[in-house]
Amino acid sequence: MILIKRKAPGQISSLQVIALFGSGLIGKAIEHAIIRDQPQSLHSLSFDWFDPRLRSGDAKQLKEAIIGTAAQSGNISQIDVVWAAGKAGFGATAEELAAEMHPFEDVVELSEALAALVPNAKHRFHYMSSAGGLYEGQRFVERGAEPRPRRPYGEAKLIQENRVTGMQPEIVTMIYRLSSAYGFSGPNGRVGLISALIANAVKHSTSQIFGAADTLRDYVLSKDVGDFVADRINEIADQSQVNILASGKPSSMHEILDTVARVTGRRLYYQQSLSPSNAGHITFLRSALPRTWRPTDLETGIRQVARQLSSSFALGDASRPL
């Protein structure tokens, strides 16, 4: 996890402490957006995913680091804990997801402990949820629509959301329901659908498609998510929120394939499942989205990802740039 200390937004002499859990696509986007805004100190601390005893020690070390800062400066005015972690994907089993509940619960309890240990600071908990997991199979989702998860992944997200909203009242909770996110998190990051299509197009490799050609989804660029969450962290907000971060302009699998082919200038080779397990439509009304949310259009976003992949040599074809 990453511990960030910086000047508190709108304050002259007080500090803000941000504890960011998660170094994947969304976690990296949030980190980059935060550190881009202003000078800060940044520290990488361990937080064991599998061993509860090690994780307890890691949590103790983190609390001591924050409390030590408060003791030295005496002016921490805001503590933000951000959960953008999770190894299990959309098709994960209930057993895989149950194992992830333990580190999540430990981080929630850590935030609650910090609220008691540093009572003069404002405390907020930011949770990255999944609009796709909560609304799978639903069309034209509007603000306030009831989640109806269809698989263990969505059920786990809803359980975690309920845990967050049930935190102590002095902790402001910010929930972000992300639609299908795509982007580039580095050469060793998890490869999503769009990144895989781009890479395979350049390498003339075959991509596996588990949705139907007409499957409609809202795709959002990870950088847009990172910028939006960083803006909320920068705000002096004292009211809990639930935000749906989708495009409001769904795209079919066929449109995705056409756009990637046009951007890369390559023919795509792909194999579609005869019995797609991920074919449910998930679309959102624009009125369901936050007023300050400005998603990048799909083709522009895919071009950005293609450039990032090419410049990082992650495609293994540096002599043939996009």
Side-chain angles (χ1 to χ4, degrees):
M1 58 81 57
I2 302 296
L3 183 64
I4 301 171
K5 302 175 186 178
R6 66 179 189 180
K7 185 176 73 172
Q11 304 292 321
I12 297 176
S13 59
S14 62
L15 295 176
Q16 178 185 32
V17 174
I18 304 165
L20 172 59
F21 295 84
S23 58
L25 179 65
I26 300 302
K28 283 291 185 185
I30 295 171
E31 178 188 338
H32 292 161
I34 292 172
I35 65 178
R36 186 180 63 234
D37 288 335
Q38 58 176 277
Q40 67 281 301
S41 66
L42 186 148
H43 309 276
S44 295
L45 300 177
S46 60
F47 192 79
D48 193 273
W49 190 262
F50 301 103
D51 190 323
R53 290 176 299 177
L54 292 176
R55 195 163 57 244
S56 177
D58 295 337
K60 181 180 179 182
Q61 181 184 21
L62 175 59
K63 282 189 287 187
E64 290 174 348
I66 295 175
I67 295 170
T69 300
Q72 289 178 354
S73 63
N75 62 348
I76 293 182
S77 64
Q78 191 162 311
I79 297 177
D80 289 82
V81 177
V82 185
W83 176 266
K87 298 177 183 295
F90 203 61
T93 64
E95 291 74 19
E96 292 170 327
L97 289 156
E100 295 201 349
M101 294 298 290
H102 301 299
F104 166 76
E105 178 63 29
D106 286 348
V107 172
V108 171
E109 291 179 357
L110 170 66
S111 179
E112 292 176 327
L114 289 171
L117 291 167
V118 193
N120 294 328
K122 292 184 177 180
H123 294 263
R124 295 187 298 183
F125 191 94
H126 303 259
Y127 173 66
M128 304 303 122
S129 185
S130 168
L134 297 180
Y135 298 109
E136 183 177 4
Q138 296 190 45
R139 296 288 310 275
F140 311 114
V141 174
E142 58 186 3
R143 190 187 302 273
E146 179 184 358
R148 295 196 297 269
R150 289 184 168 185
R151 62 181 77 207
Y153 178 79
E155 292 169 357
K157 292 297 183 183
L158 189 56
I159 290 171
Q160 291 179 343
E161 279 197 12
N162 290 336
R163 177 65 177 94
V164 170
T165 56
M167 294 176 74
Q168 301 165 2
E170 61 267 28
I171 301 175
V172 174
T173 58
M174 313 287 283
I175 293 174
Y176 309 87
R177 294 174 173 172
L178 314 183
S179 187
S180 299
Y182 69 98
F184 178 68
S185 60
N188 298 317
R190 180 185 294 180
V191 179
L193 168 67
I194 289 177
S195 294
L197 287 172
I198 295 169
N200 289 335
V202 175
K203 293 187 293 185
H204 304 289
S205 297
T206 301
S207 300
Q208 299 295 320
I209 306 295
F210 296 97
D214 62 346
T215 298
L216 290 172
R217 294 286 170 83
D218 269 83
Y219 295 88
V220 294
L221 186 64
S222 58
K223 180 182 180 299
D224 293 341
V225 175
D227 290 345
F228 185 86
V229 175
D231 285 345
R232 303 291 80 73
I233 292 173
N234 292 340
E235 290 179 346
I236 307 175
D238 56 5
Q239 290 187 338
S240 297
Q241 301 175 13
V242 177
N243 293 296
I244 293 177
L245 302 186
S247 70
K249 185 181 182 301
S251 301
S252 67
M253 181 63 66
H254 182 74
E255 182 180 348
I256 294 293
L257 295 170
D258 280 353
T259 304
V260 171
R262 183 167 59 253
V263 166
T264 60
R266 307 293 177 90
R267 180 178 178 180
L268 299 189
Y269 299 91
Y270 58 92
Q271 186 175 52
Q272 274 189 290
S273 171
L274 296 178
S275 300
S277 59
N278 192 16
H281 300 305
I282 315 171
T283 67
F284 301 86
L285 295 174
R286 293 193 179 187
S287 59
L289 313 180
R291 289 191 299 273
T292 56
W293 167 245
R294 299 289 184 269
T296 301
D297 71 87
L298 184 64
E299 181 161 339
T300 300
I302 289 177
R303 289 189 183 279
Q304 289 182 20
V305 176
R307 286 195 297 269
Q308 290 170 321
L309 281 165
S310 182
S311 63
S312 71
F313 305 101
L315 298 175
D317 195 8
S319 63
R320 300 170 67 181
L322 298 175

